[in-house]
Amino acid sequence: MIDFLNLKDINARYAKDLKEACSRVIDSGWYVLGNEVSEFEKEFSNYCQTKYCLGVANGLDALILIIRAYIELGVFKKGDEIIVPSNTYIASILAISENGLTPVLVEPDIDTFNLDPKGIEVAITPKTKAILTVHLYGQVTGMDEINSIAKKYDLKVIEDCAQAHGALYTNKKSEVKKVGCLGDAAGFSFYPGKNLGALGDAGAITTSDTELANTIAALRNYGSHEKYMNLYKGVNSRLDEIQAAMLRVKLRYLDREIVARKAVADAYLKGIYNPLIKLPMVEQPDSHVWHLFVITTNEREKLSKYLTDNKIQSLIHYPIPPHKQEAYKELNNYNFPISEKIHEQVISIPISSAITNEQINRVIETLNNFK
């Protein structure tokens, strides 16, 4: 069986460094908000080209805390609206509703799967306060258009970078920038399966806004900058010292991981020619870090079974769109035909730095023989 993602194999190459980092934390005697977190925050903010990075417990908390901080600063208030893609993972939308704000769903581009800027302006109302854009599957959204709209209507731009660590974007000025610095703030997930994955749950927020960063720093720690002095009704969402140490190791190799994933994606893009399968579209050469390689087909169930029968593991990201989930009954009567089509047709095939050339060729051959 060709695994969809073999985390054991991926992490095995870093095992010595990871074990040394774990021992370093154990020997330090300091296990919460210590040196490993502060050093990772410096390293990751430098990597993302931002002034600040704040480690938190997971990617969902990262987005929740960004929005919560804007509420505390008086930028947002309960009942305000945030525009978000209609085909994202539900976490992007949960972060909005968890804060008492209203998610306004906008359709994606059928080719890139990312938020379509053409639909944003139509959705803006007097209550709209932000655009939460998702760099889905690892490809950067068209940020020039989104930032232009945000500037026109005085909106905040929040990036959901959970799948796009290290992705590059070339703007209209020919400046090359990384995700995490393309809006006002960004949330990252370091779930183990991500391109930059911890060995458990972990997340981070990046921003260059000093006031926002200071507010989030307190909110993640019971609303406190100083022990027993609570400015806000905060939460406990702190990046663990051991996970920070793991991430410091893996951050050093992230660009190498991206290169390896791009090589697999290039092989797929050049080798798969079956007319029953639509391949992903890439807008800019370095704008996709291939967290997932997502193909579409009208014969998804048949293809999924065919791959399983041929001992190739595949997954579906995601089978049910957010507006059709039981959790969002109030949205169940809405129709988003592009999103619904995507959710009915997508299927993800194996891609990682651990997959071998032999396995890549077998995936290609198997897909080309699908009838």
Side-chain angles (χ1 to χ4, degrees):
M1 174 68 77
I2 298 177
D3 294 326
F4 179 77
L5 182 67
N6 190 317
L7 290 176
K8 183 178 178 182
D9 286 352
I10 290 171
N11 288 320
R13 69 195 71 183
Y14 313 127
K16 182 175 181 292
D17 290 349
L18 292 170
K19 289 173 183 176
E20 287 176 357
C22 188
S23 295
R24 186 172 69 239
V25 175
I26 294 168
D27 293 343
S28 75
W30 193 297
Y31 307 122
V32 177
L33 291 183
N35 183 68
E36 298 296 337
V37 170
S38 62
E39 289 302 308
F40 172 72
E41 289 175 338
K42 291 175 189 174
E43 292 159 8
F44 197 61
S45 63
N46 287 336
Y47 182 82
C48 293
Q49 305 164 332
T50 58
K51 288 183 180 178
Y52 307 102
C53 169
L54 300 109
V56 295
N58 54 69
L60 174 57
D61 280 3
L63 295 175
I64 288 173
L65 286 169
I66 291 168
I67 297 170
R68 172 71 186 281
Y70 277 130
I71 293 173
E72 295 292 350
L73 292 170
V75 179
F76 301 163
K77 64 180 184 301
K78 305 286 184 178
D80 282 343
E81 297 173 349
I82 295 181
I83 289 171
V84 64
S86 54
N87 66 316
T88 184
Y89 181 56
I90 199 169
S92 312
I93 298 170
L94 287 171
I96 300 169
S97 57
E98 177 67 17
N99 279 292
L101 276 69
T102 301
V104 175
L105 278 56
V106 170
E107 289 270 54
D109 181 288
I110 189 65
D111 294 316
T112 67
F113 308 117
N114 277 332
L115 184 60
D116 189 346
K118 293 192 292 291
I120 294 175
E121 275 195 276
V122 179
I124 292 173
T125 75
K127 290 186 176 182
T128 307
K129 291 297 183 290
I131 302 167
L132 196 166
T133 189
V134 183
H135 307 307
L136 197 65
Y137 307 145
Q139 179 163 213
V140 188
T141 313
M143 294 302 295
D144 280 330
E145 294 87 347
I146 287 173
N147 282 321
S148 177
I149 294 167
K151 184 177 181 180
K152 180 179 177 180
Y153 292 94
D154 192 25
L155 307 177
K156 295 295 182 184
V157 175
I158 302 169
E159 297 176 78
D160 183 339
C161 301
Q163 300 183 359
H165 318 72
L168 301 176
Y169 181 73
T170 304
N171 64 22
K172 290 178 180 176
K173 297 177 182 179
S174 297
E175 298 167 327
V176 180
K177 296 187 175 183
K178 282 198 177 84
V179 296
C181 77
L182 302 175
D184 295 289
F188 287 84
S189 167
F190 304 121
Y191 184 76
K194 306 297 185 183
N195 291 17
L196 178 58
L199 273 68
D201 271 323
I205 295 159
T206 56
T207 185
S208 290
D209 183 327
T210 300
E211 191 175 25
L212 183 70
N214 287 338
T215 305
I216 292 168
L219 285 171
R220 71 173 176 180
N221 188 39
Y222 298 99
S224 172
H225 286 298
E226 184 180 344
K227 197 169 185 178
Y228 304 128
M229 300 289 289
N230 301 83
L231 297 173
Y232 312 105
K233 296 173 184 175
V235 299
N236 177 7
S237 181
R238 302 174 299 207
L239 176 61
D240 186 85
E241 274 287 285
I242 284 184
Q243 296 305 338
M246 303 295 101
L247 289 167
R248 290 185 68 198
V249 170
K250 296 187 73 176
L251 180 59
R252 298 200 299 265
Y253 301 103
L254 175 57
D255 288 342
R256 190 172 80 181
E257 289 281 327
I258 293 170
V259 169
R261 285 175 173 270
K262 284 183 177 179
V264 180
D266 286 345
Y268 285 160
L269 291 170
K270 291 172 183 174
I272 300 169
Y273 55 78
N274 191 327
L276 298 176
I277 294 167
K278 181 182 176 183
L279 297 173
M281 189 186 88
V282 182
E283 291 196 305
Q284 296 182 4
D286 294 317
S287 69
H288 208 318
V289 291
W290 301 104
H291 170 61
L292 298 171
F293 193 97
V294 180
I295 58 178
T296 56
T297 178
N298 292 323
E299 304 280 351
R300 185 171 69 187
E301 283 189 30
K302 183 179 176 183
L303 177 57
S304 177
K305 182 180 184 304
Y306 169 78
L307 289 170
T308 301
D309 290 345
N310 282 275
K311 295 183 168 47
I312 297 171
Q313 187 181 23
S314 62
L315 294 177
I316 297 170
H317 299 88
Y318 307 96
I320 305 172
H323 68 283
K324 296 298 183 183
Q325 297 283 357
E326 182 74 12
Y328 284 100
K329 291 179 182 177
E330 67 274 21
L331 301 176
N332 285 174
N333 291 327
Y334 283 74
N335 293 310
F336 295 99
I338 295 175
S339 286
E340 288 161 24
K341 182 178 180 181
I342 289 170
H343 285 268
E344 289 169 359
Q345 294 184 343
V346 292
I347 183 167
S348 304
I349 61 176
I351 185 168
S352 79
S353 59
I355 192 170
T356 67
N357 288 332
E358 181 183 354
Q359 291 173 326
I360 293 167
N361 290 332
R362 187 149 74 83
V363 171
I364 293 170
E365 182 182 5
T366 303
L367 287 171
N368 284 336
N369 288 332
F370 175 66
K371 299 176 182 178

